[in-house]
């Protein structure tokens, strides 16, 4: 999404996109400065507003497949007030979805699986985001990791080799179903709430409180 050509493309804040069903595996990478160059399948960085968010949704089954060659399926950099829903994101050399400096956005009804590091990485400069009703499984590290000052609710997170949900500070993990992770919920900071989650057959501890938690 090239923010410099909005007048030419008609792209405006508040526009909703629906991506048709197919498997997406791009041959060439992004040159946009806010993303990583040629290492992501989809690069998002256009900012919406509270009253006019940028919405990315799907029609049918849309799979972003990094094919074990690209680092990230979706790389989101500075794209505040975005809504991303409906995609299946698989096969990243690093994270399925990575957020950097992203606030006030929602990630819902996503399938994120079989990525070589985290499924969803909320780890750098992010807050006030919502991760809701996603299915996150079989990632080599954490399912949903690095969550800061955000809500993780109604997700199904299973079979990840590391932590299922990793939260740092001032976050809520509520009503998630977790199974077969190393630690299903790992809490490292203060001001968090963990409530009404269901945890089944972890390979290590179900809930871990560490550090200032």
């Amino acid at each position: 999404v090239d923010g410099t050509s909005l007048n030419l493309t008609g792209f405006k804040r508040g526009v909703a996109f629906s991506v048709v069903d197919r498997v997406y595996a791009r041959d060439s990478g992004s040159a946009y400065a806010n993303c990583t160059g040629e290492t992501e399948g989809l690069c998002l960085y256009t900012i919406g507003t509270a009253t006019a968010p940028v919405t990315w949704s799907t029609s049918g089954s849309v799979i972003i497949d990094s094919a074990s060659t690209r680092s990230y399926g979706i790389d989101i950099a500075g794209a505040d007030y975005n809504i991303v829903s409906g995609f299946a994101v698989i096969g990243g050399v690093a994270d399925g979805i990575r957020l950097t400096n992203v606030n006030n956005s929602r990630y819902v009804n996503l399938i994120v699986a079989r990525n070589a590091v985290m499924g969803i990485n909320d780890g750098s400069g992010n807050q006030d985001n919502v991760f809701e009703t996603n299915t996150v499984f079989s990632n080599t590290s954490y399912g949903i990791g690095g969550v800061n000052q955000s809500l993780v609710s109604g997700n199904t997170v299973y079979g990840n080799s590391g932590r299922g949900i990793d939260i740092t500070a001032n976050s809520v993990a509520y009503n998630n179903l977790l199974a077969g992770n190393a630690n299903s919920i790992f809490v490292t900071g203060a001001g968090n709430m963990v409530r009404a989650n269901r945890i089944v057959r972890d390979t290590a501890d179900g809930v871990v409180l560490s550090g200032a938690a």
Side-chain angles (χ1 to χ4, degrees):
V1 178
D2 184 351
T4 64
S5 60
L6 301 186
N7 293 332
L8 297 177
T9 64
F11 184 89
K12 296 182 175 64
R13 292 182 177 86
V15 168
F17 291 86
S18 182
V19 183
V20 299
D21 58 326
R22 60 165 291 182
V23 177
Y24 286 87
R26 292 192 305 134
D27 292 330
S28 60
S30 168
Y32 303 141
N34 285 347
C35 288
T36 58
E38 297 189 355
T39 61
E40 73 283 333
L42 177 63
C43 169
L44 305 180
Y45 69 91
T46 297
I47 300 170
T49 68
T51 56
V54 176
T55 300
W56 294 87
S57 63
T58 62
S59 176
S61 298
V62 176
I63 302 171
I64 298 177
D65 185 0
S66 296
S68 298
T69 58
R70 293 189 176 277
S71 295
Y72 310 102
I74 304 178
D75 203 8
I76 306 166
D80 298 345
Y81 296 104
N82 273 222
I83 300 171
V84 182
S85 68
F87 296 92
V89 184
I90 63 175
V93 174
D95 307 316
I97 300 173
R98 182 178 73 162
L99 285 69
T100 306
N101 299 321
V102 177
N103 307 296
N104 300 293
S105 292
R106 297 181 67 232
Y107 304 93
V108 298
N109 299 326
L110 301 163
I111 297 172
V112 188
R114 302 188 183 96
N115 298 285
V117 187
M118 294 190 202
I120 301 174
N121 183 354
D122 186 39
S124 180
N126 310 305
Q127 63 183 34
D128 300 321
N129 296 308
V130 174
F131 305 91
E132 192 170 34
T133 60
N134 303 295
T135 301
V136 183
F137 64 94
S138 297
N139 298 286
T140 302
S141 181
Y142 305 163
I144 303 173
V147 178
N148 177 64
Q149 197 171 313
S150 293
L151 170 65
V152 185
S153 176
N155 302 282
T156 300
V157 183
Y158 66 92
N160 298 285
S161 299
R163 302 164 186 171
I165 297 172
D166 172 71
I167 60 178
T168 56
N170 303 310
S171 295
V172 176
Y174 174 73
N175 194 34
N176 300 284
L177 173 61
L178 304 106
N181 305 289
N183 304 115
S184 271
I185 301 176
F186 197 100
V187 185
T188 57
N192 298 293
M193 181 175 73
V194 178
R195 180 181 177 188
N197 301 282
R198 291 169 291 168
I199 298 173
V200 181
R201 297 177 65 88
D202 277 341
T203 60
D205 299 315
V207 178
V208 176
L209 305 179
S210 179

